[in-house]
Amino acid sequence: MSVNPMELQQSAVVTEITRTPLTGSRKIYVESPSGSCRVPMREVTLSPTLLRGKGDTAEYEINEPLRIYDTSGPYTDATAEINLHAGLDRTQRQAWIDARADTVQLDGFSSHFTRERIAEVDDIPTFENKPLPLVAKGDANVSQMHYARQGIITPEMEYIAIRENMGVAELSQTEIAERNSMGMPAEITAEFVRVEVAEGRAVIPASINHPELEPMIIGRNFLVKINANIGNSVLTSSIEEEVEKMVWSTRWGGDTVMDLSTGKNIHETREWILRNSPVPIGTVPVYQALEKVNGIAEDLTWELFRDTLIEQAEQGVSYFTLHAGVLLRYVPMTADRLTGIVSRGGSIMAKWCLAHHKENFLYTHFEEICEIMKKYDVTFSLGDGLRPGCIADANDEAQFSELKTLGELTKIAWKHDVQVMIEGPGHVPMHKIKENMEEQIKHCHDAPFYTLGPLVTDIAPGYDHITSGIGAAQIGWYGTAMLCYVTPKEHLGLPNRDDVKTGIITYKISAHAADLAKGHPVSQMRDNAMSKARFEFRWEDQFNIGLDPDTARAYHDETLPKESAKVAHFCSMCGPKFCSMKITQEIRDEFGTGAAQVEKGVQVQKAMEEKSIEFLKQGSEIYRAPTDAA
Amino acid sequence: MSVNPMELQQSAVVTEITRTPLTGSRKIYVESPSGSCRVPMREVTLSPTLLRGKGDTAEYEINEPLRIYDTSGPYTDATAEINLHAGLDRTQRQAWIDARADTVQLDGFSSHFTRERIAEVDDIPTFENKPLPLVAKGDANVSQMHYARQGIITPEMEYIAIRENMGVAELSQTEIAERNSMGMPAEITAEFVRVEVAEGRAVIPASINHPELEPMIIGRNFLVKINANIGNSVLTSSIEEEVEKMVWSTRWGGDTVMDLSTGKNIHETREWILRNSPVPIGTVPVYQALEKVNGIAEDLTWELFRDTLIEQAEQGVSYFTLHAGVLLRYVPMTADRLTGIVSRGGSIMAKWCLAHHKENFLYTHFEEICEIMKKYDVTFSLGDGLRPGCIADANDEAQFSELKTLGELTKIAWKHDVQVMIEGPGHVPMHKIKENMEEQIKHCHDAPFYTLGPLVTDIAPGYDHITSGIGAAQIGWYGTAMLCYVTPKEHLGLPNRDDVKTGIITYKISAHAADLAKGHPVSQMRDNAMSKARFEFRWEDQFNIGLDPDTARAYHDETLPKESAKVAHFCSMCGPKFCSMKITQEIRDEFGTGAAQVEKGVQVQKAMEEKSIEFLKQGSEIYRAPTDAA
């Protein structure tokens, strides 16, 4: 298909990118004490609480604005200038990288494919200001793990501490004690971040060639993260659609985005996404490698694959899913499964192994891959190519055998100070989920777990965001660090814009529910702000504090469309005549709150106990009057 | 508002009721061995599996039809005649009731309100063939628990055993052993049903005045059930809309329906629903009682409330939510809560207690209520009026104090052989859910638990079907017997048709996930049928086996609209060129399955182990070739 590049470029700039802040929110920037970084956050403005009175004589209490962890980048900053052709501002993180003085800018691209591509491509829109790549100087290792292990707190770590720690100063002593009792620090410090990365319990996926990203961390002692997959396939989609999908995904809370494109122009699509992405980008390099051999798995070679890794590392991909644990000897273990191998990457590697009767080249070349990873700080996401594709196949020998191999590879990667996370299933019934987490921790030495769902049943195509959101919440609570979203179209088709949003919101719910259950320091503040707004009938605040203000507002307006209903002290459930919330206010008026309530409560209890005893003394005979119903 | 009744009746009959069977399904009836009952089920017709060949020479293997538990009643039976004005056929269950010869038909209604209503109402459509009520003869107790405790297996119990047990004959010995190891019987027998009911671990909500219902059971050793709430409110809705909501709810899997109407004409709405409902109907009688005193809680009296109970019992309501555990001394415990009392029934009772400084009349008249319940076989659903309304208030003193009182009331009800279930929260973070189940079992002596959600976070208005579906799946797994659905409109507005469906499907997912995790005998068959269809690219079967064939089909067609794509051996994820599923087939071709696979697998493993040792011997030095990236 020949396309006029100017047309595409125009439409990418003019019509597609979502730029408005979320309703009721504004972007703020928090400076680090050292002045080394500015951390963007979202702040929801809250209306005051009406204490008493009406109109001119009304008395109000201020509600402090609520800070929310913000993945949306400059797109939701009303004052930011966005030019897709220039890409996002690189200056903040570029300065940190340059200051370390351990990288060098190449004067061309190391990948053969990239060089050919630049020379040949002229019928699709390319990113005009494609930056030349950085690479580690000489034998330097530029991974965050390497720095962490040397005791260095990088600006990335400082940034992350502020980002994760938002609002913690407001915690009460009781809350701090509760957090500590759950094994969580009350405050996330930069040093805590460093230790977690040094020990491999957390990763900071932050390629040196993607300075546009806002650093984030994945580890079970931090907020649970979510990943959104995007990508054009051989059947549909275009480049600017893909960029907007990334913007759209991060708007609703995607912490990382995986570009799983499988069609043509993968390289160019990825460039557009990377240059405009505020979040780390992950890929499955074998998808592109397979395109290069026209979809014939057995034609893959290590040399071609290696070139693909370098191509993507020099573009700025921050983590690679590599199915290095699909060993030839595990393949027959899948033959009796109900659904065999369902991982696309896994089946590609299995096919290659079978065709050549050789061991998986990702496994045999693993140390060479480590050498590449550490030169760009690309993080391993060791893929679970043998994950179960249905409830019946969960937790089987093939799956757990591969997991053990991934654990062995983790040790090798760590020997090189290369960051690692481990991918997990898939389809698992609830009673078998915990075993997944336990086996992962045991065999993979505390490396962060990154799971797809899991889906807790197979019977709901069209609703697999929910079947998997249930499993995701659970496994997140058990310790999984990042949850890969599933959209309503899973198993059926390619997600559109609404599906992506639904998938993200569902996974934000799962991740947040897990944070609550794990006692992350800042997680409950948002729930409490919502509950207070709900109790006080501050409708606009309820909408705006929520994960999706637009949908909440639309649903409210469907029943009570008038503007006056948004300040009404009642809702559509009970109507204006009777209201549960109002009665609670009366209880407070009668018993007071705090100490007063307790004292008055004791009196009432005493009085009631006396009555109760009296009631018991009388037996219940008096209540046995025969009914006249018979 | 004055309405022409003929207009309403016309529209109810002509335009509203959904009558088509689910796509790919048909209604079947399974006869009990004793011939005492015919149990309706849904059967999904499956297409055959293509073994080999094409066109005329293709060889196929038959896939047996899949049986599914069916709550939809005659509405999905293409051959059934439906006349909303006559109501559903009563003959099967009426015969069972008559055969027991322990009831008598009254020649009028015992409730003053009903009598007045019949005399007065002329501007709204009433059910013309309103049947005269049955009541227990003399001192007879007509509850299923009473029969069960006398060792009697009722036809209702036989019916339920067949219904729950569907397809169990197909279980393998391994599966049966697995079920047994999880504490579940491999086969649900009528005697097992009887014992569970006799011991109070399960209830059969089946009013003698609702013979139209298809008996079902609620207990933790049976399939997890779901309830859908419907009801008009003071602000919206009409009678025929309510009837269709019931039909719509049961179509998608609602096991019971609670009519929570709060507006005018509650009595007439309920009559239309009951006479046309194949599932048990529950109510919160205090909602109607409050209407009778114009919404002023303090004007409620025991006499008025008692008349309401009798009114509803004589119409055929099968369970009553009664907030009898909201004791005056517990009320002050809620004053310091973030959201106070959020249960509507709970706050009505609290308001009454406060206004009169008297104990809750449902508590003081509890034995008298038991006398009414056993004369019609109405089941108690002891309401949790002090359930937490937000994450911050979960598992507090008020909530657990009330729970203990509900446990005491359970004992009193059981003294009367009256069936009891216990209602539960609400809003609870994941790590506090299990305690709810444990406390309930401990204090309520194994009576079935019936919970709303719980919602595991407060921050997602517009998505509370999901926040609560996560909690519901978990608490169902822990032992909750019935899950009360939540729609996307929760906290925002009144659910429409689509919201009801979304709520139901979400809760079917939660309930089914819980069944899987509990190892209910028949639960995994549907997942396996789906997975097999998925693996074999039987697209139509995938749609039809799922909870919502229409949505699955629509989603598939969005990406691949052509009819040919529904027989294509590929999907939109990978496209036609490369397919994971196909590779698994190649693995089977190479290694065979079953014994052959194991043998060949052993050979491959041996060969690979030798190679592996060789690989280890060489060290990994050879893989350390310096990358040319630097």
Side-chain angles (χ1 to χ4, degrees):
Chain A
M1 185 182 65
S2 176
V3 181
N4 178 338
M6 288 316 294
E7 262 177 34
L8 277 179
Q9 288 178 26
Q10 292 274 337
S11 73
V13 179
V14 179
T15 64
E16 297 284 353
I17 304 300
T18 308
R19 277 301 317 271
T20 49
L22 272 74
T23 323
S25 287
R26 66 188 188 103
K27 181 82 73 179
I28 61 162
Y29 295 87
V30 176
E31 295 264 349
S32 71
S34 71
S36 70
C37 57
R38 280 175 90 222
V39 182
M41 296 181 188
R42 177 153 74 89
E43 200 174 75
V44 183
T45 309
L46 302 179
S47 50
T49 298
L50 173 67
L51 292 179
R52 60 191 71 83
K54 261 189 193 181
D56 288 351
T57 64
E59 285 175 52
Y60 292 96
E61 186 179 62
I62 296 295
N63 288 298
E64 292 299 329
L66 177 74
R67 282 187 191 170
I68 293 179
Y69 189 105
D70 188 359
T71 56
S72 63
Y75 298 97
T76 54
D77 181 347
T79 66
E81 261 186 57
I82 298 285
N83 176 351
L84 290 195
H85 293 260
L88 297 182
D89 181 47
R90 304 158 63 96
T91 50
Q92 173 166 265
R93 191 159 171 259
Q94 192 65 62
W96 305 342
I97 295 166
D98 292 348
R100 288 194 278 260
D102 53 3
T103 54
V104 61
Q105 188 166 41
L106 298 176
D107 51 15
F109 293 87
S110 312
S111 148
H112 301 292
F113 180 83
T114 308
R115 290 196 298 263
E116 282 170 22
R117 201 70 188 164
I118 290 172
E120 281 175 20
V121 169
D122 61 359
D123 67 344
I124 52 156
T126 56
F127 188 84
E128 310 96 291
N129 305 305
K130 192 176 171 74
L132 285 168
L134 295 186
V135 69
K137 260 187 202 162
D139 287 337
N141 181 334
V142 299
S143 84
Q144 293 286 325
M145 185 181 219
H146 185 69
Y147 303 133
R149 286 181 163 183
Q150 316 222 323
I152 299 168
I153 293 177
T154 61
E156 285 88 345
M157 297 170 197
E158 277 191 79
Y159 184 105
I160 285 165
I162 295 167
R163 203 171 185 190
E164 292 272 328
N165 205 43
M166 174 177 28
V168 77
E170 293 162 40
L171 286 186
S172 70
Q173 288 305 311
T174 325
E175 283 169 318
I176 292 171
E178 199 190 327
R179 308 309 175 183
N180 288 336
S181 77
M182 294 172 91
M184 294 288 295
E187 192 187 347
I188 306 288
T189 62
E191 171 61 10
F192 181 76
V193 173
R194 186 195 66 76
V195 171
E196 292 290 299
V197 173
E199 295 186 0
R201 264 193 307 277
V203 297
I204 300 175
S207 162
I208 56 168
N209 286 313
H210 187 191
E212 298 89 349
L213 68 76
E214 298 171 350
M216 52 79 71
I217 195 161
I218 301 166
R220 72 171 194 269
N221 292 324
F222 300 92
L223 290 165
V224 176
K225 304 303 186 299
I226 68 165
N227 171 69
N229 292 333
I230 60 174
N232 57 351
S233 104
V234 77
L235 298 171
T236 52
S237 202
S238 73
I239 286 175
E240 73 271 71
E241 266 178 60
E242 297 310 315
V243 177
E244 167 61 11
K245 266 189 215 163
M246 177 277 294
V247 172
W248 186 245
S249 303
T250 59
R251 177 179 181 84
W252 300 111
D255 292 287
T256 74
V257 163
M258 288 195 78
D259 174 13
L260 304 184
S261 298
T262 56
K264 5 170 1 191
N265 312 331
I266 296 183
H267 182 95
E268 291 70 28
T269 307
R270 192 166 48 232
E271 190 73 28
W272 282 102
I273 292 173
L274 276 162
R275 299 290 72 82
N276 289 290
S277 173
V279 303
I281 301 296
T283 60
V284 187
V286 79
Y287 287 5
Q288 186 181 7
L290 192 71
E291 295 292 332
K292 294 178 183 177
V293 293
N294 299 312
I296 300 164
E298 47 271 48
D299 287 356
L300 287 169
T301 64
W302 161 242
E303 290 67 30
L304 179 133
F305 190 82
R306 185 177 171 285
D307 192 71
T308 306
L309 293 183
I310 292 168
E311 171 199 345
Q312 299 197 5
E314 294 196 346
Q315 281 189 294
V317 173
S318 286
Y319 63 92
F320 287 154
T321 293
L322 297 172
H323 300 88
V326 179
L327 302 192
L328 179 51
R329 64 179 180 274
Y330 302 154
V331 173
M333 295 176 185
T334 66
D336 269 350
R337 281 178 160 187
L338 194 48
T339 55
I341 300 178
V342 297
S343 151
R344 196 163 174 267
S347 60
I348 293 167
M349 296 319 299
K351 170 92 183 178
W352 188 91
C353 291
L354 285 178
H356 297 280
H357 267 271
K358 278 195 186 163
E359 194 49 281
N360 183 334
F361 60 77
L362 299 173
Y363 180 77
T364 57
H365 290 269
F366 194 74
E367 299 224 30
E368 197 170 343
I369 299 173
C370 291
E371 294 293 340
I372 299 172
M373 305 296 261
K374 68 190 184 196
K375 292 201 170 300
Y376 303 95
D377 197 9
V378 185
T379 297
F380 276 111
S381 187
L382 293 176
D384 55 336
L386 303 181
R387 68 167 175 268
C390 65
I391 293 297
D393 294 341
N395 295 21
D396 71 353
E397 191 193 10
Q399 184 196 332
F400 284 147
S401 297
E402 181 189 29
L403 183 67
K404 284 175 203 153
T405 299
L406 300 185
E408 291 162 23
L409 295 173
T410 301
K411 287 271 189 189
I412 296 175
W414 285 353
K415 197 179 67 185
H416 292 269
D417 291 354
V418 172
Q419 307 189 91
V420 181
M421 56 186 173
I422 307 289
E423 296 187 10
H427 296 236
V428 185
M430 284 193 288
H431 63 302
K432 293 187 178 175
I433 291 179
K434 200 162 198 177
E435 188 186 9
N436 276 273
M437 192 68 227
E438 287 167 352
E439 290 290 304
Q440 193 272 344
I441 290 180
K442 186 168 128 197
H443 296 297
C444 300
H445 325 289
D446 268 355
F449 205 22
Y450 166 29
T451 65
L452 177 85
L455 288 74
V456 296
T457 170
D458 300 326
I459 68 164
Y463 299 82
D464 279 332
H465 57 306
I466 300 177
T467 63
S468 68
I470 292 170
Q474 270 187 37
I475 207 162
W477 170 26
Y478 299 152
T480 292
M482 185 154 78
L483 307 170
C484 182
Y485 91 155
V486 169
T487 77
K489 291 277 169 62
E490 184 77 10
H491 296 117
L492 294 169
L494 297 173
N496 63 24
R497 189 177 173 82
D498 288 340
D499 297 323
V500 167
K501 180 176 170 187
T502 302
I504 304 242
I505 301 281
T506 303
Y507 271 68
K508 289 299 282 184
I509 290 170
S510 298
H512 184 79
D515 287 334
L516 284 180
K518 284 165 63 184
H520 185 282
V522 302
S523 53
Q524 202 178 313
M525 288 178 183
R526 191 167 176 184
D527 296 75
N528 291 355
M530 175 68 82
S531 303
K532 187 164 186 277
R534 192 166 273 161
F535 186 72
E536 294 168 358
F537 289 99
R538 289 184 277 118
W539 287 104
E540 289 290 347
D541 291 353
Q542 288 179 59
F543 306 150
N544 296 341
I545 293 167
L547 290 174
D548 179 0
D550 305 343
T551 298
R553 184 173 286 102
Y555 282 180
H556 176 269
D557 290 357
E558 238 178 72
T559 311
L560 296 169
K562 286 187 194 158
E563 273 310 301
S564 60
K566 292 200 206 58
V567 292
H569 271 220
F570 66 89
C571 64
S572 54
M573 272 68 81
C574 302
K577 215 154 155 192
F578 181 87
C579 166
S580 313
M581 297 292 201
K582 205 171 138 204
I583 287 183
T584 299
Q585 194 50 54
E586 290 175 24
I587 294 168
R588 287 186 185 172
D589 294 345
E590 167 126 11
F591 295 103
T593 57
Q597 171 261 321
V598 174
E599 203 179 301
K600 193 137 189 196
V602 170
Q603 288 170 20
V604 174
Q605 284 199 28
K606 265 193 197 156
M608 288 314 307
E609 272 158 28
E610 283 160 21
K611 278 200 190 176
S612 238
I613 290 160
E614 209 178 302
F615 170 66
L616 288 172
K617 272 192 202 146
Q618 293 174 357
S620 34
E621 286 306 315
I622 53 162
Y623 304 111
R624 286 232 187 137
T627 155
D628 67 0
Chain B
M1 184 182 63
S2 176
V3 181
N4 177 338
M6 288 315 293
E7 262 177 33
L8 276 181
Q9 287 176 27
Q10 292 275 337
S11 74
V13 178
V14 179
T15 64
E16 297 285 350
I17 304 301
T18 308
R19 278 301 318 270
T20 49
L22 272 74
T23 324
S25 287
R26 67 188 188 101
K27 181 83 73 181
I28 60 161
Y29 295 88
V30 176
E31 296 264 349
S32 71
S34 70
S36 69
C37 56
R38 280 174 89 221
V39 182
M41 297 181 189
R42 177 153 75 89
E43 199 173 76
V44 184
T45 309
L46 302 179
S47 49
T49 299
L50 174 67
L51 292 178
R52 60 191 70 83
K54 261 190 190 179
D56 288 351
T57 63
E59 286 175 51
Y60 293 96
E61 186 179 61
I62 296 296
N63 288 297
E64 292 299 327
L66 178 73
R67 281 186 190 171
I68 293 179
Y69 189 104
D70 189 359
T71 57
S72 64
Y75 298 98
T76 53
D77 181 347
T79 66
E81 260 187 60
I82 298 285
N83 175 351
L84 290 195
H85 293 260
L88 296 184
D89 180 46
R90 303 157 65 95
T91 50
Q92 173 166 265
R93 192 161 170 256
Q94 193 65 61
W96 304 342
I97 295 166
D98 293 346
R100 288 194 277 261
D102 52 5
T103 54
V104 61
Q105 187 165 43
L106 299 176
D107 51 16
F109 292 87
S110 313
S111 149
H112 301 293
F113 180 83
T114 308
R115 291 196 298 263
E116 284 171 19
R117 201 70 187 164
I118 290 172
E120 282 176 17
V121 169
D122 62 358
D123 67 344
I124 53 156
T126 56
F127 188 83
E128 310 97 291
N129 305 305
K130 192 175 170 78
L132 285 168
L134 296 187
V135 69
K137 260 187 201 163
D139 287 338
N141 182 333
V142 298
S143 84
Q144 293 287 324
M145 185 182 218
H146 184 69
Y147 303 134
R149 286 181 163 182
Q150 316 222 324
I152 299 169
I153 293 177
T154 62
E156 285 88 345
M157 297 170 197
E158 276 192 79
Y159 185 103
I160 285 164
I162 294 168
R163 203 172 184 190
E164 291 272 328
N165 205 43
M166 175 176 27
V168 77
E170 293 162 41
L171 286 186
S172 68
Q173 287 305 312
T174 324
E175 283 169 318
I176 291 170
E178 199 189 327
R179 308 310 174 182
N180 287 337
S181 76
M182 295 172 91
M184 294 288 295
E187 192 187 347
I188 306 288
T189 61
E191 171 61 12
F192 181 76
V193 172
R194 187 195 66 76
V195 171
E196 292 291 298
V197 174
E199 296 186 359
R201 264 194 307 278
V203 297
I204 299 174
S207 163
I208 55 167
N209 285 313
H210 187 192
E212 298 89 349
L213 68 76
E214 297 171 350
M216 51 80 71
I217 194 161
I218 302 166
R220 73 172 193 272
N221 291 324
F222 299 93
L223 289 166
V224 176
K225 304 304 187 296
I226 68 165
N227 171 68
N229 293 331
I230 60 173
N232 57 351
S233 106
V234 77
L235 299 171
T236 51
S237 203
S238 72
I239 287 174
E240 72 271 72
E241 265 179 60
E242 298 310 315
V243 177
E244 167 61 12
K245 266 190 215 163
M246 175 278 294
V247 172
W248 186 245
S249 303
T250 59
R251 177 178 182 82
W252 299 111
D255 292 287
T256 75
V257 163
M258 288 196 78
D259 175 13
L260 303 184
S261 297
T262 57
K264 11 174 350 195
N265 311 332
I266 297 183
H267 182 94
E268 291 70 28
T269 307
R270 194 167 46 234
E271 190 73 29
W272 282 101
I273 293 173
L274 276 162
R275 298 289 72 80
N276 289 289
S277 173
V279 303
I281 300 296
T283 60
V284 187
V286 80
Y287 287 4
Q288 186 182 6
L290 192 71
E291 294 292 331
K292 293 178 183 176
V293 293
N294 298 313
I296 301 165
E298 46 271 47
D299 288 354
L300 287 170
T301 64
W302 161 242
E303 289 68 28
L304 179 132
F305 190 82
R306 186 175 171 286
D307 192 72
T308 307
L309 292 184
I310 293 167
E311 172 200 345
Q312 298 197 7
E314 293 196 345
Q315 281 189 293
V317 173
S318 287
Y319 63 92
F320 287 155
T321 292
L322 297 171
H323 300 90
V326 179
L327 301 192
L328 179 51
R329 66 177 179 276
Y330 301 153
V331 173
M333 294 177 186
T334 65
D336 269 350
R337 280 179 162 186
L338 194 49
T339 55
I341 300 178
V342 296
S343 151
R344 195 161 177 268
S347 60
I348 293 168
M349 297 319 299
K351 171 91 183 179
W352 188 91
C353 292
L354 284 179
H356 297 279
H357 266 271
K358 277 194 185 162
E359 194 49 281
N360 184 333
F361 61 77
L362 298 173
Y363 181 76
T364 57
H365 290 268
F366 194 74
E367 301 223 31
E368 198 170 343
I369 299 173
C370 290
E371 294 293 341
I372 300 171
M373 306 297 260
K374 68 191 184 196
K375 294 201 169 298
Y376 303 94
D377 196 9
V378 185
T379 296
F380 276 111
S381 186
L382 293 175
D384 54 336
L386 304 181
R387 69 167 174 266
C390 65
I391 293 297
D393 294 341
N395 295 21
D396 72 353
E397 192 194 7
Q399 184 197 331
F400 284 146
S401 297
E402 181 189 29
L403 184 67
K404 284 174 203 153
T405 298
L406 300 186
E408 291 162 23
L409 295 174
T410 301
K411 286 271 190 190
I412 296 174
W414 284 353
K415 197 178 66 186
H416 292 268
D417 291 354
V418 172
Q419 305 189 92
V420 181
M421 55 185 173
I422 307 290
E423 296 187 10
H427 296 237
V428 185
M430 284 194 288
H431 62 302
K432 293 186 177 175
I433 292 179
K434 199 161 201 179
E435 189 186 6
N436 276 274
M437 192 69 228
E438 287 166 352
E439 290 291 304
Q440 192 272 343
I441 290 180
K442 186 168 129 197
H443 296 297
C444 299
H445 325 289
D446 269 354
F449 204 22
Y450 165 28
T451 66
L452 177 85
L455 288 73
V456 296
T457 170
D458 299 326
I459 68 166
Y463 299 82
D464 279 332
H465 58 306
I466 300 178
T467 64
S468 68
I470 291 170
Q474 271 188 38
I475 207 164
W477 170 26
Y478 299 153
T480 291
M482 185 155 77
L483 307 170
C484 182
Y485 91 156
V486 169
T487 77
K489 291 278 169 62
E490 184 78 10
H491 297 117
L492 294 170
L494 298 173
N496 62 25
R497 188 177 173 83
D498 288 340
D499 298 323
V500 167
K501 179 175 169 186
T502 301
I504 303 241
I505 301 281
T506 303
Y507 272 67
K508 288 299 282 184
I509 290 170
S510 299
H512 184 80
D515 287 333
L516 283 180
K518 284 164 65 184
H520 184 284
V522 302
S523 53
Q524 201 179 315
M525 287 178 184
R526 191 166 176 185
D527 295 74
N528 291 357
M530 174 69 81
S531 304
K532 187 164 187 278
R534 192 166 274 161
F535 186 71
E536 294 170 358
F537 290 100
R538 288 184 277 118
W539 286 103
E540 290 291 347
D541 291 352
Q542 288 179 60
F543 306 150
N544 297 341
I545 294 167
L547 290 174
D548 178 0
D550 304 343
T551 299
R553 183 174 287 102
Y555 283 179
H556 177 270
D557 290 357
E558 239 177 72
T559 311
L560 295 170
K562 288 187 192 158
E563 274 310 300
S564 60
K566 291 201 206 59
V567 292
H569 273 221
F570 67 89
C571 63
S572 54
M573 273 66 83
C574 302
K577 217 156 153 192
F578 182 86
C579 166
S580 311
M581 298 291 201
K582 206 171 137 202
I583 286 184
T584 300
Q585 195 49 54
E586 290 175 22
I587 294 168
R588 289 185 184 171
D589 293 346
E590 168 126 10
F591 295 102
T593 57
Q597 170 261 321
V598 173
E599 203 178 299
K600 193 135 187 197
V602 169
Q603 289 169 19
V604 174
Q605 284 199 29
K606 264 195 197 155
M608 288 314 306
E609 272 158 28
E610 282 160 22
K611 277 201 188 173
S612 241
I613 291 161
E614 207 177 303
F615 171 66
L616 287 173
K617 272 193 201 144
Q618 293 173 359
S620 34
E621 286 307 313
I622 53 162
Y623 303 110
R624 287 233 184 135
T627 154
D628 68 2

